[in-house]
Amino acid sequence: MSNQKFVIFSLLAVVVLSGAAQTGAADSEVNGVFKGNDQPAKLAFVSAHKGPAVAGKETLKLLFTGKDHSKDERADLKALFGDYGSALVIGIEPNGKVVTCDILHDAHKHKPISSPASVKMSEFKNEGDQISGKLRLTETGGVRPNVGS
């Protein structure tokens, strides 16, 4: 019998953007709940970076981590290998639509999980040099693959 991964999160983020659509983690704030297999993880740092085009549309990459990643130019890649503790790497379109989502939680043995369809952004605002919104795993999101925990 294999174990199931279970992830739940609900986050509120405010990210201040600088000139090149990138901001340091120290300039922004994040709060909310991030659990994997019923184990909480703290995501204390968030940053925004220009992401790769997805289906021909520009994206912005939001990086949430447990440890400060602000001085690392490749933090998004290193976060998926656990260098900054538990992490979420979310790709959004300029209107806030989530198009990519990679989830890494210390409580999971197999990492990371990719589940963009199960994540929704609400109350999204993109005003001047600041973006904000709420990210939530949808109830039917099903980040419960039978791949062990």
Side-chain angles (χ1 to χ4, degrees):
M1 180 176 194
S2 65
N3 295 326
Q4 291 186 330
K5 288 185 186 180
F6 181 65
V7 177
I8 185 169
F9 61 85
S10 176
L11 302 170
L12 171 64
V14 177
V15 184
V16 180
L17 301 174
S18 64
Q22 180 171 346
T23 182
D27 298 332
S28 302
E29 62 184 74
V30 61
N31 55 53
V33 175
F34 181 43
K35 288 186 178 182
N37 289 348
D38 240 4
Q39 301 290 322
K42 182 157 177 71
L43 297 179
F45 301 92
V46 60
S47 62
H49 313 268
K50 183 176 179 172
V54 173
K57 296 182 180 179
E58 290 183 16
T59 66
L60 188 61
K61 190 178 295 187
L62 305 176
L63 176 59
F64 300 84
T65 61
K67 298 176 185 172
D68 188 1
H69 61 267
S70 62
K71 297 191 182 354
D72 190 343
E73 289 184 26
R74 296 302 315 213
D76 57 329
L77 179 62
K78 290 181 180 178
L80 294 178
F81 288 96
D83 287 16
Y84 298 104
S86 294
L88 291 172
V89 182
I90 309 283
I92 61 170
E93 293 178 349
N95 64 3
K97 179 183 177 193
V98 176
V99 291
T100 65
C101 173
D102 293 300
I103 302 166
L104 182 110
H105 196 288
D106 289 336
H108 296 153
K109 206 168 25 173
H110 300 284
K111 305 170 187 178
I113 301 168
S114 183
S115 186
S118 63
V119 180
K120 300 294 179 214
M121 174 81 78
S122 64
E123 299 180 34
F124 180 74
K125 293 181 185 173
N126 187 348
E127 299 171 336
D129 63 350
Q130 181 173 306
I131 63 170
S132 64
K134 291 182 179 180
L135 285 167
R136 185 174 61 84
L137 188 68
T138 61
E139 285 188 39
T140 59
V143 183
R144 291 181 167 216
N146 270 335
V147 294
S149 62

